[in-house]
Structures are given as structure tokens and as C-alpha cells.
Coordinates of all heavy atoms in Angstrom, one line a residue:
V1425 N 14.2 -1.8 -3.7 CA 14.6 -0.4 -3.5 C 16.1 -0.2 -3.6 O 16.8 -0.8 -2.6 CB 14.1 0.2 -2.2 CG1 14.4 1.6 -2.0 CG2 12.5 0.0 -2.1
S1426 N 16.5 0.4 -4.5 CA 18.0 0.6 -4.7 C 18.5 2.0 -4.7 O 19.6 2.3 -5.0 CB 18.4 -0.1 -6.1 OG 17.8 0.4 -7.1
V1427 N 17.6 2.9 -4.4 CA 17.9 4.3 -4.4 C 17.6 4.9 -3.1 O 16.7 4.4 -2.4 CB 17.3 5.1 -5.5 CG1 17.6 4.5 -6.9 CG2 15.6 4.9 -5.5
P1428 N 18.1 6.0 -2.7 CA 17.8 6.8 -1.5 C 16.3 7.2 -1.5 O 15.7 7.3 -2.6 CB 18.7 7.9 -1.4 CG 19.8 7.6 -2.4 CD 19.2 6.8 -3.4
A1429 N 15.8 7.4 -0.3 CA 14.4 7.8 -0.1 C 14.1 9.1 -0.8 O 12.9 9.4 -1.2 CB 14.0 7.9 1.3
T1430 N 15.1 10.0 -0.9 CA 14.9 11.3 -1.7 C 14.9 11.2 -3.1 O 14.6 12.2 -3.8 CB 15.9 12.3 -1.2 OG1 17.3 11.7 -1.4 CG2 15.9 12.5 0.3
D1431 N 15.3 10.1 -3.6 CA 15.4 9.9 -5.1 C 13.9 9.8 -5.7 O 13.1 9.2 -5.1 CB 16.1 8.6 -5.5 CG 16.4 8.5 -7.0 OD1 15.6 8.5 -7.8 OD2 17.7 8.7 -7.3
P1432 N 13.6 10.5 -6.8 CA 12.3 10.4 -7.4 C 11.8 9.1 -7.7 O 10.6 8.8 -7.9 CB 12.4 11.3 -8.6 CG 13.5 12.2 -8.4 CD 14.4 11.4 -7.6
R1433 N 12.7 8.1 -8.0 CA 12.4 6.8 -8.3 C 12.0 5.9 -7.1 O 11.4 4.8 -7.3 CB 13.6 6.1 -9.0 CG 13.9 6.7 -10.4 CD 15.2 6.2 -10.9 NE 16.4 6.5 -10.0 CZ 17.6 6.1 -10.2 NH1 17.9 5.2 -11.1 NH2 18.6 6.5 -9.4
A1434 N 12.3 6.4 -5.9 CA 12.1 5.6 -4.7 C 10.7 5.1 -4.5 O 10.4 4.0 -4.2 CB 12.6 6.4 -3.5
P1435 N 9.6 6.1 -4.7 CA 8.3 5.7 -4.5 C 7.8 4.5 -5.4 O 7.1 3.6 -5.0 CB 7.4 6.9 -4.8 CG 8.3 7.9 -4.5 CD 9.7 7.5 -4.9
D1436 N 8.3 4.6 -6.7 CA 7.9 3.5 -7.7 C 8.6 2.2 -7.2 O 7.9 1.0 -7.3 CB 8.3 3.9 -9.1 CG 7.4 5.0 -9.6 OD1 6.3 5.0 -9.3 OD2 8.0 5.8 -10.4
Q1437 N 9.8 2.3 -6.7 CA 10.5 1.0 -6.3 C 9.9 0.5 -5.1 O 9.7 -0.8 -5.0 CB 12.0 1.4 -6.1 CG 12.7 1.6 -7.5 CD 14.2 1.8 -7.2 OE1 14.7 1.6 -6.1 NE2 15.0 2.0 -8.3
F1438 N 9.5 1.4 -4.2 CA 8.8 0.8 -3.0 C 7.5 0.1 -3.3 O 7.3 -1.0 -2.8 CB 8.5 2.0 -2.0 CG 7.7 1.6 -0.8 CD1 8.4 1.0 0.4 CD2 6.4 1.7 -0.8 CE1 7.6 0.6 1.4 CE2 5.6 1.4 0.4 CZ 6.2 0.8 1.5
V1439 N 6.7 0.7 -4.1 CA 5.4 0.1 -4.6 C 5.6 -1.2 -5.2 O 4.9 -2.2 -4.9 CB 4.6 1.0 -5.5 CG1 3.4 0.3 -6.1 CG2 4.2 2.3 -4.8
R1440 N 6.7 -1.3 -6.1 CA 6.9 -2.6 -6.7 C 7.4 -3.7 -5.7 O 6.9 -4.8 -5.6 CB 8.1 -2.4 -7.7 CG 8.3 -3.8 -8.6 CD 9.3 -3.5 -9.7 NE 10.6 -3.0 -9.4 CZ 10.9 -1.7 -9.6 NH1 10.0 -0.9 -10.2 NH2 12.1 -1.3 -9.2
G1441 N 8.2 -3.3 -4.7 CA 8.6 -4.2 -3.7 C 7.4 -4.6 -2.8 O 7.2 -5.7 -2.3
F1442 N 6.5 -3.6 -2.5 CA 5.3 -3.8 -1.7 C 4.5 -4.8 -2.3 O 3.9 -5.6 -1.6 CB 4.6 -2.4 -1.6 CG 3.3 -2.4 -1.0 CD1 3.0 -2.5 0.3 CD2 2.2 -2.2 -1.9 CE1 1.7 -2.5 0.8 CE2 0.9 -2.2 -1.4 CZ 0.7 -2.3 0.0
Q1443 N 4.2 -4.7 -3.7 CA 3.4 -5.7 -4.3 C 4.0 -7.0 -4.3 O 3.3 -8.0 -4.1 CB 3.2 -5.2 -5.8 CG 2.4 -3.8 -6.0 CD 2.5 -3.2 -7.3 OE1 3.4 -3.5 -8.2 NE2 1.4 -2.5 -7.7
H1444 N 5.3 -7.1 -4.5 CA 6.0 -8.5 -4.4 C 5.8 -9.1 -3.1 O 5.5 -10.3 -2.9 CB 7.4 -8.4 -4.8 CG 7.6 -8.0 -6.2 ND1 8.9 -7.5 -6.7 CD2 6.9 -8.0 -7.3 CE1 8.8 -7.3 -8.0 NE2 7.6 -7.6 -8.4
A1445 N 6.0 -8.3 -2.0 CA 5.8 -8.7 -0.6 C 4.4 -9.3 -0.3 O 4.3 -10.3 0.3 CB 6.2 -7.6 0.3
L1446 N 3.4 -8.6 -0.9 CA 2.1 -8.9 -0.6 C 1.7 -10.2 -1.4 O 0.9 -11.1 -0.9 CB 1.1 -7.9 -1.1 CG 1.0 -6.6 -0.1 CD1 0.4 -5.5 -0.6 CD2 0.5 -7.0 1.2
L1447 N 2.3 -10.5 -2.6 CA 2.1 -11.7 -3.3 C 2.7 -12.8 -2.5 O 2.0 -13.9 -2.5 CB 2.7 -11.6 -4.7 CG 2.0 -10.7 -5.6 CD1 2.7 -10.6 -6.9 CD2 0.6 -11.2 -6.0
A1448 N 3.8 -12.6 -1.9 CA 4.5 -13.6 -1.1 C 3.6 -13.9 0.2 O 3.4 -15.1 0.5 CB 5.9 -13.2 -0.6
A1449 N 3.1 -12.8 0.8 CA 2.1 -13.1 1.8 C 0.9 -13.8 1.6 O 0.5 -14.7 2.4 CB 1.8 -11.7 2.6
A1450 N 0.4 -13.6 0.3 CA -0.8 -14.4 -0.1 C -0.5 -15.8 -0.2 O -1.3 -16.7 0.1 CB -1.2 -13.8 -1.5
G1451 N 0.7 -16.1 -0.7 CA 1.2 -17.5 -0.8 C 1.3 -18.2 0.5 O 0.9 -19.3 0.7
I1452 N 1.7 -17.4 1.5 CA 1.9 -17.9 2.9 C 0.5 -18.2 3.4 O 0.2 -19.2 4.1 CB 2.6 -17.0 3.7 CG1 4.1 -16.9 3.3 CG2 2.5 -17.3 5.2 CD1 4.8 -15.8 4.0
A1453 N -0.4 -17.4 3.2 CA -1.8 -17.5 3.6 C -2.4 -18.7 3.1 O -3.1 -19.7 3.7 CB -2.7 -16.3 3.4
F1454 N -2.3 -18.9 1.7 CA -2.8 -20.1 1.1 C -2.2 -21.4 1.6 O -2.9 -22.4 1.8 CB -2.7 -20.0 -0.5 CG -3.5 -19.0 -1.1 CD1 -3.1 -18.1 -2.0 CD2 -4.8 -18.9 -0.8 CE1 -3.9 -17.1 -2.7 CE2 -5.8 -17.9 -1.3 CZ -5.2 -17.0 -2.3
A1455 N -0.9 -21.3 1.9 CA -0.2 -22.6 2.5 C -0.8 -22.8 3.9 O -1.1 -24.0 4.2 CB 1.3 -22.2 2.6
G1456 N -1.2 -21.8 4.6 CA -1.8 -22.0 5.9 C -3.1 -22.6 5.8 O -3.5 -23.5 6.7
A1457 N -3.9 -22.3 4.7 CA -5.2 -22.9 4.5 C -4.9 -24.5 4.3 O -5.8 -25.3 4.9 CB -5.9 -22.4 3.3
I1458 N -4.0 -24.9 3.6 CA -3.7 -26.3 3.4 C -3.3 -27.0 4.6 O -3.8 -28.1 4.9 CB -2.6 -26.4 2.3 CG1 -3.0 -25.8 0.9 CG2 -2.1 -27.9 2.2 CD1 -2.0 -25.8 -0.2
V1459 N -2.5 -26.3 5.5 CA -2.1 -27.0 6.7 C -3.3 -27.2 7.6 O -3.4 -28.2 8.2 CB -1.1 -26.0 7.4 CG1 -0.8 -26.5 8.9 CG2 0.2 -26.0 6.7
A1460 N -4.1 -26.2 7.6 CA -5.3 -26.2 8.6 C -6.2 -27.4 8.1 O -6.7 -28.2 8.9 CB -6.1 -24.9 8.6
I1461 N -6.5 -27.5 6.8 CA -7.4 -28.4 6.3 C -6.9 -29.9 6.5 O -7.6 -30.9 6.7 CB -7.7 -28.2 4.8 CG1 -8.6 -26.9 4.7 CG2 -8.6 -29.3 4.2 CD1 -8.8 -26.4 3.3
V1462 N -5.6 -30.0 6.3 CA -4.9 -31.4 6.2 C -4.7 -31.9 7.7 O -4.9 -33.1 8.0 CB -3.6 -31.3 5.5 CG1 -2.8 -32.7 5.7 CG2 -3.8 -31.1 4.0

């Protein structure tokens, strides 16, 4: 997110960052599965 919240582009940028964050969280969860099994 590189624009103020009032900028029309802000929602699209937030969604893009939100999607990237969730992909990172998914990677963390899969790493946790490996830790548990090992």
C-alpha cells in the first residue's frame, strides 16, 4: 500500500497485500506441519 486510504487505488493495493500476506501465512502453516511430523 503506497497511497493514502482515501485514494481510489487504496482498496486494490490492500487486497494485493492481503493476498501476499495470506500466501506467506500458508507457507508458515505448511512449515509447522513439517515441524510437527518430524
